[in-house]
Amino acid sequence: MTPNRTRSAVPLLILSLGFAVLMGAAAGMGKPAMLAPFLGLLALVGLFIVPSRLAFWTIFVVSMVIVGPVMYFGKLDSARWGPPLLALAMYIPLVAFIFKPRKPTVQPGWPLWVFVMVMFLIVAGCSTAMSSPRLGEVVVASRTYMAFWSVALAVGVGMLAPRDMLLAWKALLVVAIIQLPVAVYQYFVVAKASSRLSPWDAVVGTFPGNIEGGGASHGMGIFLLVAMAAVLTLWRAKRINRYFAAAVMVGILGSLALSEVKAAVLLVPAVFVLLFYRELLRRPMLSFGALLASVVLMGALFTVYATTFYAGRGMTLSGKMPTSPLQSIENQLNPEEVHTRDTGKGVVVSRAARMADWWSRSVRYGDPFHAMLGYGIGATQTSSIGMGELVPMFPYPLDMTGTTILLWETGALGHLLFMAALFMAGLNCNSSARSPIVPVEHKALLEAAGAGLIIFSITLPYSNFSLRAAPSQFVMVFMLGYSIYWWRVVRQAALARAGSVAPAAEVESGPKAMKPGFVHKQAAPRYRHG
């Protein structure tokens, strides 16, 4: 060690020794609470040291494969705080990365949908500020409105290399395969032992849920559609091994068959339309064949549902149990479908009836302020930390769908902005996929992300997974960040062509190019971030 380095290390050594002495003194007092500030400071310093890749993959693994089983099998509901807290912690290295000194270059800016999403957050903040918020409501709502955007921004600004993004997509496909063995156990062991009228609600895969009943099976179903879109686009681009693709499709179809997620099955043709609409005129036979295959697949899954889940169902005390999948769908679309539970506690309200109730209370009877801006974040939520102000006023939960959450908490304006942002981000993915500078694998995955974000947008009235289930939230913000990143790369390339500015990402070729892993053995481009 040189003398200069020795002198520069002395203050750090003295500071570390003093910190250790203070920690030891606090521990010696026999009060564990005294250690909390020191441990918090150490954790804060550690966030600057932990590599961004490790932080991202920690959030990925905890969100997609750990928190759900811990809540389901371990019956530890507080585990749902794990992914949001990790995502909140990621803001610290994100800020450090953004303000890191770089060579001056023309900034590509941000896609329009980002400003729409910022407007949504501003609307949510104003609605909360004008509605006398409670601390518990805001803390609980942070899981929905604040935590996971760090992941989208981290991916969008390039904290992760494109090879990590590609690896994350492949890891999501592996997670899709994992759903099947977990669903098999839940169906044949857990659900068979349940006394619920709909025991198959216990089939949720690795998503959060309750071993005694329901869970985020809706979120699992939509995630499987995103994985299906990724497999189809990679297969069309000839960038996926056929055996791996077959394994993923078996996992997807098997999990859908066991979990009884009707809306996800209904959306199978929509996924095919979103992926193959460009071939409609160029290759009409291929498009027609793909659509026909999706309809046949949908019909086959509904047949499985009818013969497995609805066969021999008897009447209940209320006489309202559906006897077929189609009748169940009709009930959910009926705005007058409201009846008392067999237990006599609470009421069962269809999705359409929930929206009709909001319209009646907020629009028809003249409450324009709350109709447009809602009651503030957290108003519909309940937890051990706090209860939303609207929860005691209704005989049914208000947070069963994303639409009802947003309408009650952020109003019609907030709901419209959030849905529009997701839809516009999906369109951005499709436009970026047409750029010649985007590698083939990423073109295919951008098309899958575009379809996935549009599906997330139109399923807000279906369930609350995009705002409540950590795995679904992670998938959504990852696709949003993916959309931002490639939009900025394409935009930077356009600026470089126009003004001879060095692009933000340069494509490498040759023997050092990125290995595709599960995809075909053709070399994929690698990127350097300057």
Side-chain angles (χ1 to χ4, degrees):
M1 181 179 289
T2 63
N4 288 336
R5 289 185 178 179
T6 302
R7 286 194 296 268
S8 63
V10 169
L12 181 61
L13 179 61
I14 295 175
L15 182 63
S16 300
L17 289 173
F19 188 82
V21 170
L22 289 175
M23 279 194 68
M29 295 175 66
K31 296 181 179 180
M34 297 290 292
L35 289 173
F38 298 97
L39 295 177
L41 184 59
L42 284 175
L44 189 64
V45 173
L47 289 173
F48 288 96
I49 300 174
V50 173
S52 56
R53 289 184 66 193
L54 179 59
F56 172 83
W57 284 108
T58 300
I59 299 173
F60 180 103
V61 173
V62 172
S63 299
M64 299 304 301
V65 297
I66 292 181
V67 66
V70 168
M71 293 176 60
Y72 189 92
F73 297 105
K75 300 182 180 181
L76 188 62
D77 190 68
S78 59
R80 68 174 68 248
W81 281 96
L85 289 176
L86 289 172
L88 285 171
M90 196 171 184
Y91 278 110
I92 295 176
L94 173 63
V95 171
F97 179 84
I98 291 175
F99 288 100
K100 180 180 178 181
R102 293 179 178 80
K103 293 185 296 184
T105 182
V106 176
Q107 293 300 314
W110 299 87
L112 178 61
W113 71 261
V114 172
F115 296 97
V116 175
M117 189 66 77
V118 170
M119 291 174 61
F120 161 75
L121 295 175
I122 291 174
V123 167
C126 292
S127 173
T128 305
M130 292 185 288
S131 299
S132 301
R134 304 173 185 176
L135 179 60
E137 293 180 15
V138 177
V139 171
V140 174
S142 65
R143 298 183 309 202
T144 299
Y145 294 94
M146 290 178 278
F148 281 93
W149 297 117
S150 64
V151 177
L153 292 174
V155 176
V157 300
M159 282 182 68
L160 297 175
R163 63 178 180 273
D164 291 310
M165 301 178 199
L166 185 61
L167 183 60
W169 275 105
K170 292 186 287 188
L172 288 175
L173 296 183
V174 173
V175 173
I177 297 176
I178 295 174
Q179 302 306 304
L180 181 56
V182 179
V184 168
Y185 176 82
Q186 291 168 337
Y187 180 83
F188 288 102
V189 178
V190 178
K192 294 297 183 181
S194 175
S195 59
R196 288 169 52 95
L197 293 172
S198 53
W200 53 84
D201 288 341
V203 182
V204 297
T206 61
F207 279 57
N210 188 333
I211 199 170
E212 304 297 335
S217 58
H218 303 147
M220 181 192 69
I222 300 303
F223 161 69
L224 293 174
L225 292 185
V226 175
M228 179 185 294
V231 171
L232 291 174
T233 54
L234 288 171
W235 168 79
R236 181 172 58 183
K238 299 180 180 179
R239 288 298 187 273
I240 188 170
N241 181 279
R242 61 172 179 253
Y243 298 110
F244 179 62
V248 176
M249 290 301 294
V250 169
I252 292 172
L253 298 180
S255 300
L256 288 176
L258 293 173
S259 57
E260 206 265 330
V261 280
K262 296 177 290 294
V265 174
L266 281 174
L267 288 171
V268 169
V271 172
F272 277 73
V273 169
L274 290 171
L275 297 181
F276 291 94
Y277 73 94
R278 291 179 188 165
E279 281 83 2
L280 186 60
L281 296 178
R282 292 182 299 174
R283 293 185 287 178
M285 293 304 296
L286 175 63
S287 301
F288 177 77
L291 182 60
L292 181 61
S294 68
V295 173
V296 170
L297 179 59
M298 179 185 68
L301 288 172
F302 269 116
T303 301
V304 171
Y305 290 171
T307 57
T308 304
F309 301 117
Y310 291 87
R313 297 184 74 176
M315 296 292 290
T316 65
L317 296 178
S318 60
K320 296 290 184 178
M321 288 296 292
T323 57
S324 71
L326 293 180
Q327 186 179 357
S328 177
I329 295 171
E330 291 174 359
N331 288 347
Q332 292 297 331
L333 298 177
N334 182 4
E336 299 180 356
E337 182 67 24
V338 180
H339 62 273
T340 305
R341 295 183 182 274
D342 290 341
T343 59
K345 298 179 180 179
V347 295
V348 177
V349 185
S350 70
R351 291 174 173 86
R354 295 171 188 272
M355 296 179 63
D357 192 22
W358 172 84
W359 177 269
S360 176
R361 294 171 185 260
S362 301
V363 180
R364 180 180 300 175
Y365 295 111
D367 189 359
F369 173 79
H370 290 121
M372 291 301 297
L373 297 177
Y375 290 82
I377 63 174
T380 66
Q381 302 180 77
T382 180
S383 74
S384 58
I385 296 179
M387 178 183 295
E389 63 175 292
L390 295 177
V391 173
M393 303 179 186
F394 290 80
Y396 62 89
L398 294 176
D399 61 347
M400 297 303 292
T401 72
T403 288
T404 53
I405 292 172
L406 293 174
L407 287 177
W408 286 112
E409 295 188 358
T410 65
L413 182 58
H415 182 274
L416 179 63
L417 289 172
F418 188 80
M419 179 176 281
L422 292 180
F423 198 88
M424 293 168 65
L427 297 180
N428 275 165
C429 287
N430 290 326
S431 64
S432 298
R434 293 194 291 270
S435 173
I437 72 166
V438 178
V440 176
E441 287 87 353
H442 290 287
K443 283 177 181 285
L445 293 172
L446 278 169
E447 292 175 350
L453 288 170
I454 292 175
I455 293 295
F456 267 80
S457 174
I458 64 178
T459 52
L460 286 173
Y462 165 54
S463 187
N464 62 3
F465 52 83
S466 58
L467 301 175
R468 290 291 190 269
S472 299
Q473 289 177 286
F474 177 85
V475 172
M476 180 181 71
V477 296
F478 171 68
M479 292 190 296
L480 288 172
Y482 197 63
S483 173
I484 294 174
Y485 177 83
W486 286 110
W487 185 92
R488 286 168 60 86
V489 168
V490 172
R491 175 70 173 168
Q492 187 79 350
L495 294 174
R497 289 194 299 269
S500 300
V501 179
E506 300 177 2
V507 179
E508 252 183 25
S509 59
K512 295 184 179 180
M514 177 176 57
K515 294 183 179 180
F518 287 117
V519 298
H520 277 296
K521 295 183 179 179
Q522 183 171 347
R526 187 177 181 179
Y527 294 80
R528 293 197 305 266
H529 296 273

